[in-house]
Amino acid sequence: MTTVNEPVATRAWEGLFRLTAVRHTAAAVLAVFGLYLLSGVLGPYRDLQLAQAAYLVCAAAGLTVLTGLSGQISLGQGAFMAVGAYTAALLINHLQWPLAAVLLASVVVTAALGLIVGLAAARLRGPYLAGATLALAVGLPSLVDYQPLTGLLGGQNGLSVVSSPPPAALGETFPLERWQAWIACLCAVITLWLLANLTHGGFGRSLRAVRDDEVAAALSGIRVARLQILAFVVAAACAGLGGGLLAFVTTLAAPGAFGLALSLQLVTAVILGGLGSLSGAVWGSLLLVLVPSWAADLGGAAHLSHDVASNLPLAIYGLVLILVMIAFPGGMQGAFRRFLALPASMGIFGGHRTTEERK
């Protein structure tokens, strides 16, 4: 019986994976086309916001895999972004590498650091892991003040990055912000496509098994420690890409951009969007970009003092986080799913089905 059914089950999983990959590819193509059209009607400021959201999506998506699917708490994603940003800045300024090679190098270097951190993190659990990654988030950006590295990394002033201009084929008047938005959005879509296919295969199923019951996963033959290390490598690689894009978009790699606040914001984005949901990482990243803009408009309209207005985004993040967690524990993506399921449950599209019809 086993020898007959196993190939059938294997073919069924392979067929499901191919179907899922086709669906993800179609969604990625549509996303690229939609973002291309959107950038064409946006002004320079909105294009810049789109690029900012895109590099945050890369980092948040990696954190979604690590925390939402693997169950490992990490407060050091901002530090991995710093490594990617400084790698990109050094390669662009000193070696004049092409942008594609620079971004790939940022991914590889940060993934290597993620491997080292993952080896230590695989031995830690819960608050101990959170504390270790918190120390990474605080300590790594401060290395710029270490005297032998100050000349190389620019100290607190950071490194200015020579931005790659748009190709000449696009015309001399083609906006730089739109070119940056194109590159960042393309990288974000590719990242989401890769992670979606990765997490819908055996790797994703194993991660969920470890998250739900580590002991049972180990007894079923899953190598828990190796899987947790790989999750850290994936998260770090995504953060490195996000950091490289940040340096490309902002033309600066400075320690002030990678403080503890950035790591906490990325955790907030993952929770707000929906823990374990790649689509949720998109919604959460958009909030990270749009809330400060909304807060600035609100502060100006209410004539708030500078001190109050500067802290307003944090207050809005906290308020939105509380409301989402109370009303929609599954985050924004969970709320959208419930909203889309509501018409069917109310019988709007075809009415209520009987028990026999549901069978």
Side-chain angles (χ1 to χ4, degrees), residues 96-124:
Q96 289 82 44
W97 280 21
L99 182 59
V102 166
L103 295 178
L104 181 60
S106 296
V107 171
V108 172
V109 170
T110 316
L113 177 62
L115 176 61
I116 297 173
V117 175
L119 289 171
R123 302 176 180 270
L124 302 174

Side-chain angles (χ1 to χ4, degrees), residues 271-274 280 283-284 287 320 324-325 328 330-337:
I271 296 174
L272 282 175
W283 305 124
L287 279 180
V320 173
V324 169
M325 289 299 96
F328 306 104
M332 296 176 63
Q333 184 64 19
F336 290 142
R337 288 172 180 168

Side-chain angles (χ1 to χ4, degrees), residues 38 65 83 115 129 131 134 179 200 251 282 284 317 359:
L38 179 63
V65 173
V83 173
L115 176 61
L129 177 57
L134 176 64
W179 171 244
H200 280 77
T251 66
V282 177
Y317 285 139
K359 291 181 180 178

